[in-house]
Amino acid sequence: HAKTRELHLRFSTGRWDAEDWGARPWNGTREGGTGVELWAWVEAETDEEAYARWITLNNALSGLFCASLNFIDSTRTTRPVLSFEPAGDHPVSRLSTLHLLHGTLPREVVCTENLTPFLKLLPCKGKAGISSLLDGHKLFDASWQSMAIDVRPLCPGNGEDCIVEMEQTVDMVLDIERSKRQRGISSLTFSEETVLKILDNPIPRPVPAEELVCDTSKPYASNEACYPLDITYEQPWSLTEVFGRPIQGSCSLTDDMGVEAETVCINVPHERDVYTSSGAVEHKHEDGYSRCYKLPAHDDFEMVLPQQSLSTSYPLTQPLLYAERSFTGHGQERGGVQTLLTNPSKTFAVEFIYLESLPWFMKPYLHTLNAQITNQLYHQSNEIIKDIYYRPALDRRRGTQLELRISVPPASTVTLTYDFDKAILRYTEYPPDANRGFDVAPAIIRLTASGNGSSTSSPVYLRTTSLLLPLPTPDFSMPYNVIILTSTVMALAFGMIFNLLVRRFVGADEVEGWDLRKLKGRARGRAMAIRDRFRGKAEKVE
């Protein structure tokens, strides 16, 4: 028994483009880093007991969700101090025995085998309601997607009747043009019959030249050069075109009345034309940009949005912070990490917690940690880095944990840099594709509610992209060459020794059925015949 009081599991792929897509959904609280991310509060008396139960939890979740969570060992486990807070209701007397553990697998590839057990946990198993649109081919073809599972205790009222709540969330960003890509059709002819065969066409094809809308005002515009115009109208789409199927009715566990009965909502201006199947009940909200639908119980629900030019568009929420992280330096011995933290607000400073979980073979130098304001419009005397929590790595035992409390002034960009050394691994510690590099987990940013300048009181989370760290790679062909050469020498030596030990040497006169005198006479006669033949040729030549 793992005695886990609260856990949060994330499966994510892709990169969130904050400049084009705006703020993250759910303020980033239901988002994880690239790959798999897990953090949980485990009840235990000591750190060793908490880690043992943490391993038990990882093994159980690994089998349940068909993921490699059992590879989260001590080198991939950290104990954050400032970055996470419990989301559930925990008794005050139990808080002293709760241990927070966090682990990541940035190399994990999220695929259909993780989606299937996720759907089985839903009440209708993905057979009805909006979950019927969750097809693996569409979900994992998205530009960005995240699956979240949150399990926490809730104690309403006086705190005696506590329940355990499990919440599942799926977020994705789809490219309409890519999702609507038509399938290829090929014809097969058998004698006098022609059969049409529909083939999946996963390779993106360029738009035909006759369908391009070009800007003819450009000086280089011609039949061979085209500068595409921006789309000024809303693209047409429908549920069947994007997801390949309509919504297959409502789930039987959905409430019949109230807000919970409106299971499908869409954020578009009210002037946008939206056509739905018969039987659905529409409710437009007063904000002018959202509407919700109550699905029919047993009929399919289809939604069609035609091509339309609008005078207004749905306003995107601007992120409170932009974060970009990358490697610097060159060579196989050392390098550096650079993180750009931009505060777009012109009136409020942003204060947040910055967490990095580095592998043990990436050894940072804390004295090289530097934070510098690159384009400050407002001058303040406060320090940028206000607090540091640093836990150094131990070779092959644990990774590096670095937590910083940072404040970025209004309309400023802070550049956070530090240097590190690259360790040399044993040849058995390299993966099969060693020259690809090693994945470094994304950095986690938690904006505190008191210092983000927003109206919401809940924290806001951001995650940077993962990094690919190249390490000194040995020549893996040399062991192969040594093995081949050694095997050849051993085979020759063994063959000679085995031949000497096994073969029996006897004299020619000892062999039965052999007359040595006759053999000598035959050999002498053959030699004389060859000699006479050569002598005859020499006389003819003379």
Side-chain angles (χ1 to χ4, degrees), residues 75-90:
T75 61
R76 296 180 174 91
T77 301
T78 57
R79 299 173 182 265
V81 178
L82 306 172
S83 300
F84 297 98
E85 293 182 354
D89 301 329
H90 301 277

Side-chain angles (χ1 to χ4, degrees), residues 97-331:
T97 59
L98 292 182
H99 297 258
L100 171 61
L101 294 100
H102 177 270
T104 58
L105 289 175
R107 191 184 179 89
E108 183 76 4
V109 179
V110 184
C111 58
T112 309
E113 63 184 6
N114 309 123
L115 176 64
T116 302
F118 182 89
L119 294 177
K120 289 183 179 180
L121 295 176
L122 295 174
C124 293
K125 314 296 182 182
K127 303 297 183 181
I130 196 172
S131 63
S132 61
L133 299 178
L134 297 180
D135 178 69
H137 297 283
K138 295 295 182 179
L139 178 63
F140 299 110
D141 192 46
S143 301
W144 176 87
Q145 69 88 18
S146 176
M147 296 189 301
I149 298 176
D150 300 284
V151 181
R152 59 177 182 172
L154 293 180
C155 301
N158 54 7
E160 296 180 357
D161 299 330
C162 296
I163 61 174
V164 177
E165 179 190 64
M166 184 178 68
E167 191 172 7
Q168 297 177 246
T169 309
V170 177
D171 297 298
M172 63 178 124
V173 178
L174 292 175
D175 186 352
I176 294 180
E177 289 296 331
R178 181 182 178 91
S179 301
K180 291 169 54 179
R181 190 166 59 226
Q182 298 293 330
R183 294 183 174 183
I185 300 178
S186 63
S187 59
L188 302 178
T189 303
F190 300 95
S191 64
E192 297 180 356
E193 297 182 358
T194 301
V195 180
L196 293 180
K197 183 180 180 181
I198 301 179
L199 304 174
D200 286 329
N201 183 18
I203 303 176
R205 305 294 183 186
V207 180
E210 59 273 9
E211 297 181 7
L212 289 175
V213 181
C214 305
D215 187 358
T216 57
S217 62
K218 300 294 182 180
Y220 49 79
S222 63
N223 295 331
E224 298 180 356
C226 176
Y227 187 84
L229 284 172
D230 293 334
I231 299 177
T232 58
Y233 55 85
E234 295 293 330
Q235 300 185 41
W237 61 274
S238 66
L239 292 179
T240 303
E241 290 178 334
V242 174
F243 295 97
R245 68 186 72 170
I247 297 178
Q248 300 174 3
S250 62
C251 185
S252 57
L253 299 180
T254 305
D255 295 341
D256 296 331
M257 301 296 293
V259 180
E260 298 297 332
E262 300 174 350
T263 55
V264 176
C265 296
I266 180 173
N267 294 328
V268 294
H270 286 178
E271 63 174 319
R272 183 82 157 98
D273 295 334
V274 179
Y275 303 100
T276 60
S277 304
S278 59
V281 180
E282 182 185 42
H283 174 238
K284 292 185 178 180
H285 295 177
E286 297 180 357
D287 57 2
Y289 293 102
S290 61
R291 66 187 76 181
C292 295
Y293 297 90
K294 180 181 178 181
L295 303 185
H298 305 288
D299 298 332
D300 292 345
F301 174 79
E302 177 63 286
M303 179 185 296
V304 179
L305 285 80
Q307 179 177 320
Q308 185 178 1
S309 298
L310 303 178
S311 58
T312 59
S313 60
Y314 181 77
L316 294 177
T317 304
Q318 186 181 28
L320 300 176
L321 183 72
Y322 293 93
E324 298 179 5
R325 190 172 67 145
S326 60
F327 279 134
T328 60
H330 62 277

Side-chain angles (χ1 to χ4, degrees), residues 515-527:
D515 190 351
L516 185 60
R517 294 180 180 179
K518 292 182 179 180
L519 291 176
K520 289 182 179 180
R522 291 180 181 178
R524 187 180 297 108
R526 182 64 59 84

Side-chain angles (χ1 to χ4, degrees), residues 290-491:
S290 61
R291 66 187 76 181
C292 295
Y293 297 90
K294 180 181 178 181
L295 303 185
H298 305 288
D299 298 332
D300 292 345
F301 174 79
E302 177 63 286
M303 179 185 296
V304 179
L305 285 80
Q307 179 177 320
Q308 185 178 1
S309 298
L310 303 178
S311 58
T312 59
S313 60
Y314 181 77
L316 294 177
T317 304
Q318 186 181 28
L320 300 176
L321 183 72
Y322 293 93
E324 298 179 5
R325 190 172 67 145
S326 60
F327 279 134
T328 60
H330 62 277
Q332 298 293 328
E333 299 181 12
R334 58 185 60 90
V337 175
Q338 173 182 275
T339 306
L340 300 179
L341 305 167
T342 303
N343 180 11
S345 176
K346 297 182 179 180
T347 55
F348 296 98
V350 176
E351 184 175 335
F352 55 89
I353 307 299
Y354 182 84
L355 169 64
E356 280 200 1
S357 302
L358 305 178
W360 65 266
F361 46 79
M362 186 176 170
K363 303 178 181 298
Y365 292 105
L366 193 60
H367 73 279
T368 62
L369 181 64
N370 182 31
Q372 182 179 1
I373 300 178
T374 56
N375 56 343
Q376 183 178 6
L377 299 180
Y378 297 86
H379 300 278
Q380 295 182 359
S381 59
N382 297 336
E383 296 182 357
I384 300 175
I385 301 179
K386 297 185 176 182
D387 194 7
I388 298 178
Y389 178 84
Y390 176 69
R391 190 184 186 199
L394 298 177
D395 287 354
R396 296 176 178 84
R397 292 178 57 187
R398 75 182 184 196
T400 301
Q401 178 181 339
L402 177 63
E403 282 186 277
L404 307 174
R405 186 185 296 273
I406 302 176
S407 179
V408 181
S412 302
T413 298
V414 171
T415 303
L416 183 68
T417 59
Y418 62 85
D419 299 332
F420 65 90
D421 277 348
K422 302 177 182 179
I424 299 178
L425 306 182
R426 300 166 183 164
Y427 81 95
T428 56
E429 296 175 338
Y430 285 90
D433 52 347
N435 291 295
R436 173 184 175 271
F438 291 78
D439 294 270
V440 180
I444 302 175
I445 300 175
R446 174 178 176 264
L447 280 71
T448 57
S450 59
N452 57 22
S454 64
S455 58
T456 177
S457 59
S458 61
V460 179
Y461 282 90
L462 304 176
R463 283 169 174 81
T464 63
T465 56
S466 59
L467 300 179
L468 198 60
L469 176 66
L471 289 182
T473 305
D475 185 5
F476 289 100
S477 65
M478 291 306 296
Y480 174 77
N481 297 335
V482 173
I483 292 173
I484 293 300
L485 179 60
T486 306
S487 301
T488 304
V489 173
M490 292 182 62

Side-chain angles (χ1 to χ4, degrees), residues 56-76:
T56 302
L57 175 65
N58 291 336
N59 293 333
L61 293 177
S62 176
L64 180 61
F65 291 99
C66 299
S68 303
L69 291 168
N70 55 314
F71 284 93
I72 299 181
D73 53 6
S74 60
T75 61
R76 296 180 174 91

